[in-house]
Amino acid sequence: MITTPTAPIGGKGPVSCSGDRPPTGSPALPAPTGLHSRDGTGHVLLDWDPVDGALGYVVHRSDFADGPFAPLDLGGGDMPAVPRPPYADTRVEAGRGHWYKVASWTGAGPGPLTPGPVRGCARARGIGPAAVGVRVDAGAEPVPLRGVWKRTIGAAHLLPAPDDGPGPGGAEAAVEHAEALRIVLGGIGVRTVRTHGTSMPDRVTVRPDGTFDFTGLDAAHDRLLATGLEPVVGLSFPPAELAADPGATVLPRRGGTSALPDLGRYGELCRELTVHLCERHGADEVAGWLFEVRNEPAPEALRSGSQDACHRRYETAARAVKGVDARIRVGGHSSAAPAWVGALLEFCRREDVPIDFVSVRTRGGAPLDLRPLTRSFARATGRPEPEVLWSERAVTARHFHPADDSAFAAPSVLHAVKSALASADAFTSWVATDHMARTDPPPALFHGGPGLLTAGNLRKPRFWALRLLSGLAGGRVPARVTGDGAEALVEALATAAGDGTHVDVLVWNGTPDRTGAAGAAALDRGALVEVEGLTPDAVYDVTLWRVDEGHADIRTVWEAMGGGDWPDAQQWARLRAADVLPAEPLPAVTAGPDGTVSLSVALPMPAVRSLRLTRA
């Protein structure tokens, strides 16, 4: 039995959720068929036939054909499963073989392993980088590129208050946090901010007469709305006055984790909060907001009580909110354990509880496919299928990991977004800024914080990757990758204008193995990008954008300046001047008589490349 690993706040290890029950209706799925391997440069590529109903797959490895087989350690992610094949094992040594099996994964855990193992042995790097091809059909009918990464961004604890004072580095934390949200709004197109801690002590208080005072929450919402973004209302961490143990708290702002002995009282809080928001901001406005019940009920470090108690708490909140306005969309739990999704849906089906979306956290891995669960719920109830929202996505499950600051995070986030494009309705990066009000102040400019931006709002490579993704113009057209590590290490997305005036190609090279965060020469690739379907014999201007260790990586700039904890005024000025993603013009190309052009680009690991072809 594999338990889903997750990390406690600020911690470095898994917290077991083994006491929680999987949904009783979880199907017993067979092992995948068609498993085969391909020896690649610096990796072993595994592929298999997808299993209908699987949420993901767990890859197992052994040094011997007869085992024992153990799940591959991906270096600190929330989940042991990967969403779909193919998968590249890069935690290998050239010339040393391994044996592999794969299991289907559901909310109940992994199923049986494939009966026959396959062997793979990574090749050593040759004289030059291995090759891949990217074939784009610009003549295909464009389809909309769903902006799942634009829907929301994480903001930890709303916005700091102006009187919170200066943050690390000497700047005002509240001013920088608000500016960070404006940067992700303008640069990425994010529309809403996923918050939690709505009812923390500085947001909601209980008056002596038992009524609720929302003054602190109103001020925080006003600061947020002033940025141009809207809140996702997080119904988590209720006031101490409602708790069985008022002293059971986490985080510097004392979020309550205790059980709630009086759910009726909790329902009053949720109902009065909803009424207050509707009266203050307008019922039609609030009807467009999401209300997310509970944040991370698993791991047990962030809750007290059983899974059943968490379900009853969800029911209380959902019925209270819907009782005020049935148009408001309610869901949850944003658990670190995907197994909770099926259990919550089963509870809502059995008790006829409203649920408009399910949310689940992922750090490190790519979003799994939860649609078998939501579709089953819709079939069983005759109700609309709940949306799937993936939240709190950083590069690792740990709060502070160097990979989050590095170029490694750029292809990692694009890999996760591409998975979400296939199976989810929203993908939330965690978080906008390293000014995380829920944790202690950043100890240094680059400390492995999960923000897209540093304290001081310097843009990390992960921000630039999402900026390039948001810059893709037109509709999505097919982009097929072939060659050494195709569709596992090297992936691509492409868009084109319907009138054939321009084509955008976004291609990246990355591994899910966080131990390769510093790069691996054996995984470097040379990519031949071929675009077909262009205007025959037409001339196209070409522009290139690069994100890698030497381009749009502000941490590398800081290290070249000597590094340290915090810049002085002169160093801040130099860093801000270098905080850019320059467009690089390449020589124009002429499409052949068949409407095809070819371009070669270097693609180290990790790296992102964006090409724009514009008809002259």
Side-chain angles (χ1 to χ4, degrees):
M1 176 69 178
I2 298 174
T3 57
T4 302
T6 185
I9 298 299
K12 295 184 178 181
V15 175
S16 173
C17 302
S18 57
D20 303 324
R21 299 194 310 271
T24 56
S26 296
L29 296 181
T33 60
L35 177 63
H36 60 279
S37 67
R38 183 180 307 145
D39 297 344
T41 305
H43 75 285
V44 174
L45 188 73
L46 300 167
D47 206 350
W48 57 89
D49 299 326
V51 175
D52 187 35
L55 310 185
Y57 304 89
V58 182
V59 179
H60 292 64
R61 193 178 80 176
S62 174
D63 291 332
F64 307 98
D66 55 355
F69 287 85
L72 277 177
D73 178 9
L74 303 182
D78 271 338
M79 298 172 288
V82 298
R84 60 185 57 84
Y87 176 79
D89 179 16
T90 60
R91 193 171 289 193
V92 291
E93 299 176 13
R96 180 183 176 186
H98 299 283
W99 295 87
Y100 297 90
K101 292 186 175 186
V102 178
S104 304
W105 195 89
T106 69
L113 293 172
T114 47
V118 298
R119 186 178 185 274
C121 182
R123 300 193 304 262
R125 186 186 184 197
I127 297 175
V132 294
V134 181
R135 188 81 175 182
V136 176
D137 184 1
E141 184 68 25
V143 298
L145 176 61
R146 298 188 306 117
V148 296
W149 68 96
K150 298 179 183 180
R151 187 163 175 182
T152 187
I153 189 77
H157 185 58
L158 289 172
L159 272 71
D163 58 3
D164 277 8
E172 294 294 328
V175 173
E176 281 193 358
H177 202 142
E179 180 60 22
L181 294 182
R182 293 188 183 98
I183 289 172
V184 299
L185 168 63
I188 299 174
V190 171
R191 303 188 301 274
T192 66
V193 177
R194 179 184 173 269
T195 67
H196 63 272
T198 293
S199 302
M200 279 184 171
D202 56 343
R203 302 295 183 228
V204 176
T205 58
V206 181
R207 301 186 183 98
D209 65 357
T211 59
F212 299 102
D213 186 342
F214 303 112
T215 302
L217 179 64
D218 290 342
H221 274 159
D222 287 348
R223 291 193 295 274
L224 173 59
L225 292 168
T227 68
L229 294 159
E230 294 179 347
V232 174
V233 180
L235 300 176
S236 58
F237 304 123
E241 289 85 351
L242 275 63
D245 179 6
T249 63
V250 294
L251 312 173
R253 291 184 182 264
R254 307 190 312 279
T257 61
S258 172
L260 302 178
D262 186 351
L263 284 180
R265 186 80 172 113
Y266 177 62
E268 291 176 9
L269 168 63
C270 296
R271 182 173 56 256
E272 289 188 26
L273 170 63
T274 308
V275 169
H276 177 79
L277 292 176
C278 289
E279 291 177 346
R280 192 166 192 271
H281 301 286
D284 290 342
E285 171 71 15
V286 175
W289 297 359
L290 297 181
F291 281 56
E292 184 180 57
V293 182
R294 187 78 205 195
N295 183 65
E296 297 187 67
E300 295 173 4
L302 290 179
R303 67 176 164 98
S304 176
S306 66
Q307 188 184 69
D308 288 339
C310 290
H311 289 163
R312 291 298 176 186
R313 176 169 162 175
Y314 172 84
E315 177 186 16
T316 301
R319 294 195 191 281
V321 172
K322 290 284 193 180
V324 175
D325 191 334
R327 297 176 298 170
I328 297 175
R329 290 166 293 168
V330 182
H333 285 297
S334 192
S335 168
W340 276 58
V341 172
L344 177 61
L345 287 171
E346 181 181 282
F347 171 81
C348 291
R349 176 195 59 76
R350 187 176 65 247
E351 303 294 331
D352 194 25
V353 177
I355 185 164
D356 300 301
F357 65 88
V358 294
S359 58
V360 62
R361 191 191 88 179
T362 177
R363 294 188 189 153
L368 304 180
D369 188 354
L370 302 181
R371 291 174 302 171
L373 300 176
T374 56
R375 288 172 178 170
S376 176
F377 173 85
R379 287 194 300 269
T381 62
R383 290 152 58 180
E385 181 181 349
E387 291 188 305
V388 177
L389 313 182
W390 285 91
S391 65
E392 297 197 19
R393 206 283 173 173
V395 179
T396 72
R398 289 171 50 188
H399 264 306
F400 305 110
H401 193 290
D404 265 311
D405 291 335
S406 72
F408 178 86
S412 175
V413 73
L414 294 180
H415 171 71
V417 169
K418 189 173 183 183
S419 180
L421 283 171
S423 60
D425 299 286
F427 170 89
T428 305
S429 290
W430 178 250
V431 286
T433 168
D434 283 347
H435 274 306
M436 290 183 63
R438 68 179 249 171
T439 61
D440 294 327
L445 178 62
F446 293 106
H447 62 284
L452 298 179
L453 309 172
T454 69
N457 288 339
L458 299 173
R459 295 153 180 84
K460 299 182 186 180
R462 193 157 43 105
F463 171 89
W464 290 122
L466 293 173
R467 174 69 185 89
L468 290 172
L469 181 61
S470 296
L472 297 179
R476 186 176 179 181
V477 294
R480 181 170 176 263
V481 183
T482 58
D484 198 8
E487 302 295 356
L489 298 173
V490 179
E491 299 175 275
L493 287 169
T495 59
D499 59 4
T501 55
H502 70 262
V503 179
D504 287 332
V505 183
L506 187 64
V507 58
W508 60 91
N509 183 9
T511 169
D513 182 7
R514 266 72 75 191
T515 63
L523 301 179
D524 292 349
R525 296 293 182 264
L528 178 65
V529 179
E530 296 180 288
V531 182
E532 61 185 19
L534 301 174
T535 303
D537 302 317
V539 176
Y540 286 82
D541 296 325
V542 183
T543 306
L544 171 69
W545 291 267
R546 292 187 283 177
V547 180
D548 55 36
E549 191 177 52
H551 304 86
D553 186 348
I554 198 67
R555 187 184 70 168
T556 300
V557 176
W558 175 234
E559 291 173 348
M561 292 166 57
D565 288 342
W566 294 102
D568 58 28
Q570 186 179 37
Q571 290 172 322
W572 271 119
R574 291 173 61 189
L575 287 169
R576 296 196 191 285
D579 187 23
V580 294
L581 177 65
E584 305 174 41
L586 298 183
V589 295
T590 301
D594 62 349
T596 300
V597 300
S598 298
L599 299 133
S600 295
V601 295
L603 198 62
M605 199 300 294
V608 177
R609 299 287 184 263
S610 185
L611 288 162
R612 170 162 290 179
L613 282 69
T614 305
R615 193 170 63 204

